């Protein structure tokens, strides 16, 4: 499943409940930035949500993006 990102203002906070931080990466975007990977397990499926912050200010860029829930792996 492809990751689909949306502006954080459009995210329903209830969709993030039950997830825990699985990873955090910094400096992967030019000028800094951070990605926080969240995950939760339901039965034998690990679901993920990625949150990306970019400190670079651009009139067309959104500084904080949140992905829709996606399947990370099936055990």
């Amino acid at each position: 499943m492809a990751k689909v990102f949306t502006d954080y203002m459009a995210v329903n906070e209830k969709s993030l409940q039950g997830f825990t931080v699985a990873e955090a990466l910094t400096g992967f975007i030019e000028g800094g930035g951070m990605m926080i990977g969240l995950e939760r397990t339901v039965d034998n499926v690990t679901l993920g949500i990625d949150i990306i912050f970019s400190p670079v200010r651009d009139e067309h860029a959104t500084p904080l993006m949140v992905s829709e829930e996606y399947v990370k792996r099936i055990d």
Side-chain angles (χ1 to χ4, degrees), residues 30-52:
E30 185 176 327
M34 174 180 268
M35 189 209 58
I36 300 171
L38 307 176
E39 63 181 44
R40 73 178 177 151
T41 303
V42 178
D43 295 327
N44 66 332
V45 178
T46 300
L47 302 171
I49 292 178
D50 293 336
I51 300 171
I52 295 179

Side-chain angles (χ1 to χ4, degrees), residues 25-34 53-57 63:
L25 302 171
T26 60
F28 70 99
I29 298 172
E30 185 176 327
M34 174 180 268
F53 170 73
S54 174
V56 177
R57 298 292 183 237

Side-chain angles (χ1 to χ4, degrees), residues 1-73:
M1 180 177 194
K3 293 181 191 178
V4 177
F5 285 86
T6 187
D7 185 310
Y8 75 99
M9 295 296 288
V11 174
N12 179 345
E13 63 272 4
K14 289 190 182 270
S15 66
L16 300 175
Q17 291 179 353
F19 283 84
T20 58
V21 175
E23 62 182 325
L25 302 171
T26 60
F28 70 99
I29 298 172
E30 185 176 327
M34 174 180 268
M35 189 209 58
I36 300 171
L38 307 176
E39 63 181 44
R40 73 178 177 151
T41 303
V42 178
D43 295 327
N44 66 332
V45 178
T46 300
L47 302 171
I49 292 178
D50 293 336
I51 300 171
I52 295 179
F53 170 73
S54 174
V56 177
R57 298 292 183 237
D58 180 337
E59 66 183 64
H60 302 292
T62 302
L64 187 63
M65 299 292 290
V66 179
S67 77
E68 293 178 359
E69 186 177 276
Y70 64 94
V71 175
K72 287 185 82 169
R73 66 182 168 274

